Amino acid sequence: MITQRNVCVIGSGISGLAAAKAFRERGHHVTVLERGPDLGGVWEPSRSYPDVKTQTPKDIYAFSELPMPTAYPEWPSGGQVFAYLRSYAERFGLIPLIRYGQSVTGLKKRTGLGWDVTTKGQDGAASTQSYDFVAICTGQFSHMNKPAHPGADAFRANGGTILHSSEHNDAESVRGKRIVVLGYSKSATDVAVSAVKHGASAVTLVFLEPTWKIPYFFGGLINFKRILYCRAAESMFLPYNAGPVRRIAQKLATPLIWANWRGLETLLTRQFKLNKNGLRPKTRIEDDIHCNLAVETPGFYKLVTEGKITAIQGTIASYEGSQAVLTTGRKVPADLVVMATGWRQDVPVLDATDRAKLIDADGQYRLYRWIVNPDLPDLGFVGFNSSFATNLSAELGANWLVRYMDGQLAHPPTRAEMERDISRLRTWRQAERPSAKGYGGLCIAPYHNHHFASLLADIGVPTREANPVTAVFAPLRPPVYADLLARAPVYRAEAAPRPTVLKSVETSRAA
């Protein structure tokens, strides 16, 4: 019999909702702790910058059992994604499980299995609750990376404003103002384009290095999902656990693979006028295809060409009066500075001992399947790995994790296997694919199909599709994975039986 557990899910974004559903469906008691005022994570309206929309097409950026509404555009807006996540939570009965305004301030290991989870409410009151298992679902966007520069206080005193991109949520706040955006991520170019659209008097983008950006449509015609989200594209990258036959095949195909990427670089250089704008990256595009790869904000390069966005290579060194002083010495007048500088991934609520088991000195996470650590068996991570298919990655990870907790994986890993796999992955990041070290080594892109197949194999579900052409060339299709998960062994946890209390002899006789 599988015994019911008391499970704590931290976070109610995409990953938290997927985890809550997976654990609840297997019969466990689930409590979701959310520090914000509503569900949705980064898609919660108070955390969304103006005009934000998905990078991933709607048919891929969806849970397997709930497609996004057909009325949604190919790339939904932030508000539409938020509405979709709420509908998902309502459909699967997750809303009653969520406790809002609860910031987790500490995770303390109990003797044996389980954790004491300490939270602080909006009123400042602290409380501690014990759980048998904890799933951390805070994802990639939990701790703001907001650099501090000399002179910032004086800049604010002079009327200037400095915000992280997640704090910039008023589109009209830019009207008639001089805007400086720091960064070159999608959020950076989104904010810059939105500022032009909403009437900023000047928009300057300051960045360290240009990186490759992918258009929604290559050459204005081909949806990028048909090029980058299929197994054919993924096969051009050597996975970390490739065997000798796979490595030989990769070596034989190297000239063709090289020609493919050079052709793609040429196409993008011409389509975006990268040489003319001085924005052609120095890196090879195949080295940039990982979790830092961004889709081009429609119109960004055109606005740079037209001079409506000024792109300057460098970074902010300090502030002087109402100006941002760059490392080049150039001074840029500014009323609002938006830090599109991303996020830090950390688990500060763990004590130093447990954190050292999880994270190596160089910041690389020690997680098997990007989900569990062999030294912390009653702690798991859902959606902590960055992905181009966030919903599907979280959903499969959550289904794997609940079976791991319950001892119901068809192929459960031994501790030795986990250690060996973690070590091999680390060596691969150091020697063969250094770009994979980003995000603490938790990026699964562009190896989505490979990763998903590993999870399903552990669960006991074969992933071979009947149509070999579709299997190789079709983009990721979440409904396919709903069918696959439906084939997984079904079980449900049950409450532990209460001990039988025997009546005393005297009581029995009296009766």
Side-chain angles (χ1 to χ4, degrees):
M1 184 184 79
I2 308 302
T3 304
Q4 232 170 34
R5 307 273 192 105
N6 192 20
V7 178
C8 176
V9 172
I10 302 176
S12 68
I14 289 172
S15 305
L17 296 177
K21 177 178 179 291
F23 281 94
R24 184 172 181 267
E25 285 184 340
R26 299 277 73 81
H28 298 290
H29 293 294
V30 178
T31 300
V32 181
L33 301 177
E34 170 55 54
R35 70 181 180 186
D38 210 335
L39 59 79
V42 74
W43 296 108
E44 195 270 311
S46 68
R47 295 181 61 194
S48 297
Y49 56 80
D51 302 322
V52 63
K53 60 180 181 178
T54 67
Q55 291 201 99
T56 304
K58 68 175 182 180
D59 53 343
I60 299 175
Y61 202 79
F63 294 109
S64 68
E65 294 182 87
L66 184 65
M68 283 200 175
T70 55
Y72 278 15
E74 180 80 333
W75 290 274
S77 69
Q80 289 171 323
V81 176
F82 175 70
Y84 167 76
L85 294 178
R86 176 164 288 282
S87 70
Y88 179 85
E90 290 172 348
R91 174 171 175 174
F92 294 106
L94 307 180
I95 299 292
L97 309 180
I98 306 173
R99 294 171 55 198
Y100 297 109
Q102 297 294 315
S103 296
V104 176
T105 57
L107 284 179
K108 184 175 178 58
K109 192 78 176 65
R110 293 162 57 192
T111 302
L113 294 177
W115 298 84
D116 289 331
V117 181
T118 301
T119 60
K120 183 173 71 173
Q122 291 179 322
D123 59 358
S127 64
T128 300
Q129 175 69 44
S130 296
Y131 295 93
D132 301 312
F133 195 92
V134 173
I136 296 180
C137 307
T138 50
Q140 299 286 317
F141 309 110
S142 184
H143 305 285
M144 289 186 293
N145 182 35
K146 191 175 180 181
H149 299 104
D153 291 340
F155 175 77
R156 294 188 183 96
N158 203 44
T161 302
I162 303 172
L163 299 173
H164 187 268
S165 57
S166 65
E167 300 171 312
H168 171 53
N169 46 42
D170 180 3
E172 289 301 307
S173 66
V174 305
R175 190 168 299 280
K177 295 182 179 178
R178 301 163 298 181
I179 312 301
V180 172
V181 182
L182 183 63
Y184 203 77
S185 62
K186 181 177 182 291
S187 61
T189 56
D190 280 354
V191 170
V193 171
S194 177
V196 174
K197 174 183 173 182
H198 290 283
S201 63
V203 179
T204 304
L205 183 79
V206 180
F207 62 95
L208 286 174
E209 292 285 344
T211 56
W212 291 101
K213 292 183 181 293
I214 301 299
Y216 284 122
F217 293 94
F218 283 104
L221 297 172
I222 304 174
N223 191 316
F224 80 92
K225 70 182 180 182
R226 304 196 179 282
I227 295 179
L228 296 180
Y229 280 95
C230 60
R231 286 187 175 88
E234 187 173 320
S235 67
M236 288 186 275
F237 297 90
L238 193 67
Y240 77 98
N241 55 357
V245 174
R246 178 70 173 82
R247 290 181 178 276
I248 291 172
Q250 187 81 9
K251 189 169 184 179
L252 292 174
T254 295
L256 293 175
I257 295 172
W258 181 91
N260 170 78
W261 296 126
R262 303 293 77 76
L264 191 56
E265 288 176 354
T266 300
L267 173 63
L268 295 177
T269 300
R270 292 176 179 173
Q271 183 173 341
F272 292 147
K273 298 181 174 61
L274 297 180
N275 287 329
K276 179 179 180 179
N277 293 323
L279 295 176
R280 192 181 193 283
K282 297 176 183 177
T283 54
R284 303 187 311 168
I285 191 168
E286 61 266 41
D287 296 329
D288 275 1
I289 296 181
H290 52 87
C291 293
N292 285 326
L293 181 69
V295 172
E296 183 242 1
T297 305
F300 167 69
Y301 289 109
K302 183 174 183 291
L303 291 172
V304 173
T305 302
E306 294 172 350
K308 295 178 181 178
I309 295 176
T310 301
I312 304 174
Q313 190 165 0
T315 189
I316 295 174
S318 63
Y319 295 95
E320 186 177 296
S322 59
Q323 301 178 107
V325 182
L326 308 186
T327 47
T328 60
R330 183 169 176 174
K331 298 179 180 180
V332 182
D335 300 303
L336 169 63
V337 176
V338 179
M339 300 283 185
T341 44
W343 305 79
R344 292 179 297 101
Q345 195 159 12
D346 199 358
V347 193
V349 294
L350 285 175
D351 65 29
T353 301
D354 290 327
R355 191 176 180 280
K357 296 174 183 176
L358 176 68
I359 310 172
D360 287 330
D362 61 355
Q364 297 290 293
Y365 282 76
R366 300 184 66 255
L367 289 174
Y368 178 75
R369 297 285 194 246
W370 290 273
I371 300 174
V372 292
N373 177 281
D375 293 314
L376 302 168
D378 45 0
L379 181 71
F381 295 81
V382 176
F384 222 62
N385 54 321
S386 187
S387 164
F388 294 159
T390 307
N391 305 55
L392 192 54
S393 179
E395 191 173 7
L396 293 174
N399 277 275
W400 186 97
L401 180 61
V402 67
R403 285 171 168 78
Y404 170 84
M405 179 189 78
D406 289 334
Q408 293 298 301
L409 289 174
H411 304 287
T414 64
R415 181 186 178 87
E417 288 171 339
M418 295 169 75
E419 292 282 8
R420 185 165 57 249
D421 197 73
I422 290 171
S423 177
R424 182 165 56 175
L425 186 57
R426 180 181 178 82
T427 300
W428 173 78
R429 288 194 297 262
Q430 292 173 330
E432 295 187 44
R433 190 165 172 80
S435 62
K437 289 190 290 187
Y439 293 90
L442 298 175
C443 172
I444 68 166
Y447 304 96
H448 294 86
N449 288 287
H450 185 82
H451 176 59
F452 297 164
S454 297
L455 297 180
L456 288 168
D458 289 348
I459 291 171
V461 179
T463 56
R464 182 173 296 176
E465 294 185 37
N467 187 330
V469 176
T470 301
V472 173
F473 296 103
L476 285 167
R477 291 152 292 151
V480 170
Y481 289 88
D483 294 337
L484 290 170
L485 286 173
R487 302 177 197 171
V490 177
Y491 72 92
R492 188 171 177 83
E494 299 177 13
R498 294 182 179 181
T500 302
V501 178
L502 299 176
K503 294 181 179 180
S504 66
V505 174
E506 290 77 8
T507 302
S508 299
R509 287 175 177 172

